[in-house]
mmCIF file of all heavy atoms in Angstrom:
data_model
loop_
_atom_site.group_PDB
_atom_site.id
_atom_site.type_symbol
_atom_site.label_atom_id
_atom_site.label_comp_id
_atom_site.label_asym_id
_atom_site.label_seq_id
_atom_site.Cartn_x
_atom_site.Cartn_y
_atom_site.Cartn_z
ATOM 1 N N GLY A 54 118.902 111.180 55.057
ATOM 2 C CA GLY A 54 120.270 111.626 55.458
ATOM 3 C C GLY A 54 121.254 110.447 55.542
ATOM 4 O O GLY A 54 122.401 110.581 55.282
ATOM 5 N N SER A 55 120.710 109.350 56.088
ATOM 6 C CA SER A 55 121.606 108.159 56.213
ATOM 7 C C SER A 55 121.960 107.623 54.915
ATOM 8 O O SER A 55 123.130 106.940 54.790
ATOM 9 C CB SER A 55 120.915 107.072 57.107
ATOM 10 O OG SER A 55 120.587 107.613 58.354
ATOM 11 N N HIS A 58 125.243 109.106 53.697
ATOM 12 C CA HIS A 58 126.513 108.475 54.291
ATOM 13 C C HIS A 58 126.982 107.376 53.289
ATOM 14 O O HIS A 58 128.190 107.259 53.050
ATOM 15 C CB HIS A 58 126.326 107.919 55.653
ATOM 16 C CG HIS A 58 125.797 108.914 56.612
ATOM 17 N ND1 HIS A 58 126.366 110.155 56.791
ATOM 18 C CD2 HIS A 58 124.884 108.816 57.571
ATOM 19 C CE1 HIS A 58 125.784 110.823 57.713
ATOM 20 N NE2 HIS A 58 124.818 110.004 58.262
ATOM 21 N N PRO A 195 115.773 116.818 57.838
ATOM 22 C CA PRO A 195 114.541 116.106 58.090
ATOM 23 C C PRO A 195 114.393 115.600 59.566
ATOM 24 O O PRO A 195 113.432 115.727 60.189
ATOM 25 C CB PRO A 195 114.567 114.984 57.156
ATOM 26 C CG PRO A 195 115.298 115.525 55.894
ATOM 27 C CD PRO A 195 116.377 116.468 56.536
ATOM 28 N N VAL A 196 115.549 115.044 60.080
ATOM 29 C CA VAL A 196 115.476 114.483 61.479
ATOM 30 C C VAL A 196 115.279 115.618 62.440
ATOM 31 O O VAL A 196 114.412 115.574 63.381
ATOM 32 C CB VAL A 196 116.743 113.609 61.682
ATOM 33 C CG1 VAL A 196 116.739 113.262 63.206
ATOM 34 C CG2 VAL A 196 116.718 112.434 60.844
ATOM 35 N N ASP A 216 120.734 125.620 62.648
ATOM 36 C CA ASP A 216 121.277 125.052 61.421
ATOM 37 C C ASP A 216 122.186 126.168 60.815
ATOM 38 O O ASP A 216 122.056 127.288 61.130
ATOM 39 C CB ASP A 216 120.159 124.627 60.395
ATOM 40 C CG ASP A 216 120.660 123.524 59.468
ATOM 41 O OD1 ASP A 216 121.486 123.924 58.567
ATOM 42 O OD2 ASP A 216 120.246 122.448 59.581
ATOM 43 N N ARG A 221 116.562 126.335 55.991
ATOM 44 C CA ARG A 221 116.084 125.235 56.855
ATOM 45 C C ARG A 221 115.564 125.751 58.248
ATOM 46 O O ARG A 221 114.588 125.233 58.796
ATOM 47 C CB ARG A 221 117.266 124.224 57.036
ATOM 48 C CG ARG A 221 117.608 123.596 55.686
ATOM 49 C CD ARG A 221 117.881 122.090 55.809
ATOM 50 N NE ARG A 221 117.826 121.564 54.532
ATOM 51 C CZ ARG A 221 118.282 120.280 54.226
ATOM 52 N NH1 ARG A 221 118.763 119.600 55.161
ATOM 53 N NH2 ARG A 221 118.236 119.824 53.048
ATOM 54 N N ALA A 259 121.208 116.379 65.791
ATOM 55 C CA ALA A 259 120.674 115.683 64.627
ATOM 56 C C ALA A 259 121.472 115.970 63.396
ATOM 57 O O ALA A 259 120.930 116.165 62.321
ATOM 58 C CB ALA A 259 119.156 116.094 64.465
ATOM 59 N N VAL A 260 122.831 115.994 63.547
ATOM 60 C CA VAL A 260 123.668 116.155 62.427
ATOM 61 C C VAL A 260 124.605 114.886 62.261
ATOM 62 O O VAL A 260 124.531 114.252 61.270
ATOM 63 C CB VAL A 260 124.543 117.382 62.590
ATOM 64 C CG1 VAL A 260 125.453 117.615 61.331
ATOM 65 C CG2 VAL A 260 123.679 118.635 62.788
ATOM 66 N N VAL A 282 121.518 111.652 67.901
ATOM 67 C CA VAL A 282 121.031 110.629 66.873
ATOM 68 C C VAL A 282 121.824 110.704 65.619
ATOM 69 O O VAL A 282 121.633 109.834 64.736
ATOM 70 C CB VAL A 282 119.514 110.600 66.658
ATOM 71 C CG1 VAL A 282 118.781 109.940 67.604
ATOM 72 C CG2 VAL A 282 119.102 111.994 66.210
ATOM 73 N N VAL A 284 124.287 110.164 62.701
ATOM 74 C CA VAL A 284 125.169 108.996 62.426
ATOM 75 C C VAL A 284 126.614 109.532 62.276
ATOM 76 O O VAL A 284 126.852 110.458 61.594
ATOM 77 C CB VAL A 284 124.615 108.229 61.246
ATOM 78 C CG1 VAL A 284 125.791 107.217 60.687
ATOM 79 C CG2 VAL A 284 123.380 107.489 61.552
ATOM 80 N N ALA A 309 118.176 104.549 66.338
ATOM 81 C CA ALA A 309 116.775 104.617 66.661
ATOM 82 C C ALA A 309 116.264 103.285 66.994
ATOM 83 O O ALA A 309 116.755 102.185 66.557
ATOM 84 C CB ALA A 309 116.025 105.146 65.432
ATOM 85 N N ARG A 352 121.572 119.873 49.122
ATOM 86 C CA ARG A 352 120.625 120.575 50.104
ATOM 87 C C ARG A 352 119.695 121.528 49.337
ATOM 88 O O ARG A 352 119.140 122.455 49.963
ATOM 89 C CB ARG A 352 121.398 121.237 51.212
ATOM 90 C CG ARG A 352 122.324 120.304 51.974
ATOM 91 C CD ARG A 352 122.498 120.716 53.419
ATOM 92 N NE ARG A 352 123.552 120.011 54.088
ATOM 93 C CZ ARG A 352 123.442 118.601 54.535
ATOM 94 N NH1 ARG A 352 122.329 117.998 54.228
ATOM 95 N NH2 ARG A 352 124.420 118.070 55.069
HETATM 96 P P1 NAD B 409 120.578 115.864 56.520
HETATM 97 O O1 NAD B 409 121.954 115.621 56.131
HETATM 98 O O2 NAD B 409 119.493 116.184 55.572
HETATM 99 O O3 NAD B 409 120.476 117.115 57.508
HETATM 100 C C1 NAD B 409 121.584 117.542 58.354
HETATM 101 C C2 NAD B 409 121.402 118.960 58.714
HETATM 102 O O4 NAD B 409 122.388 119.455 59.542
HETATM 103 C C3 NAD B 409 121.418 119.960 57.460
HETATM 104 O O5 NAD B 409 120.343 120.752 57.407
HETATM 105 C C4 NAD B 409 122.821 120.681 57.673
HETATM 106 O O6 NAD B 409 122.795 121.954 57.071
HETATM 107 C C5 NAD B 409 122.857 120.672 59.178
HETATM 108 N N1 NAD B 409 124.254 120.922 59.720
HETATM 109 C C6 NAD B 409 125.386 120.393 59.178
HETATM 110 N N2 NAD B 409 126.431 120.884 60.095
HETATM 111 C C7 NAD B 409 125.883 121.615 60.930
HETATM 112 C C8 NAD B 409 126.476 122.342 61.999
HETATM 113 N N3 NAD B 409 127.782 122.375 62.219
HETATM 114 N N4 NAD B 409 125.647 123.088 62.830
HETATM 115 C C9 NAD B 409 124.215 123.066 62.518
HETATM 116 N N5 NAD B 409 123.674 122.408 61.587
HETATM 117 C C10 NAD B 409 124.447 121.662 60.750
HETATM 118 O O7 NAD B 409 120.218 114.575 57.427
HETATM 119 P P2 NAD B 409 118.845 114.088 58.233
HETATM 120 O O8 NAD B 409 118.125 113.246 57.295
HETATM 121 O O9 NAD B 409 118.239 115.235 58.859
HETATM 122 O O10 NAD B 409 119.657 113.208 59.228
HETATM 123 C C11 NAD B 409 120.352 113.786 60.277
HETATM 124 C C12 NAD B 409 121.261 112.760 60.929
HETATM 125 O O11 NAD B 409 120.513 111.761 61.593
HETATM 126 C C13 NAD B 409 122.142 112.081 59.846
HETATM 127 O O12 NAD B 409 123.453 111.870 60.396
HETATM 128 C C14 NAD B 409 121.408 110.738 59.790
HETATM 129 O O13 NAD B 409 122.277 109.699 59.367
HETATM 130 C C15 NAD B 409 121.010 110.501 61.150
HETATM 131 N N6 NAD B 409 119.976 109.500 61.341
HETATM 132 C C16 NAD B 409 120.219 108.667 62.447
HETATM 133 C C17 NAD B 409 119.310 107.713 62.734
HETATM 134 C C18 NAD B 409 119.652 106.813 63.981
HETATM 135 O O14 NAD B 409 119.131 105.675 64.014
HETATM 136 N N7 NAD B 409 120.380 107.239 64.885
HETATM 137 C C19 NAD B 409 118.161 107.467 61.967
HETATM 138 C C20 NAD B 409 117.929 108.343 60.896
HETATM 139 C C21 NAD B 409 118.834 109.334 60.600
#
Side-chain angles (χ1 to χ4, degrees):
S55 298
H58 302 312
V196 173
D216 201 292
R221 297 222 164 168
V260 182
V282 278
V284 165
R352 306 211 190 285

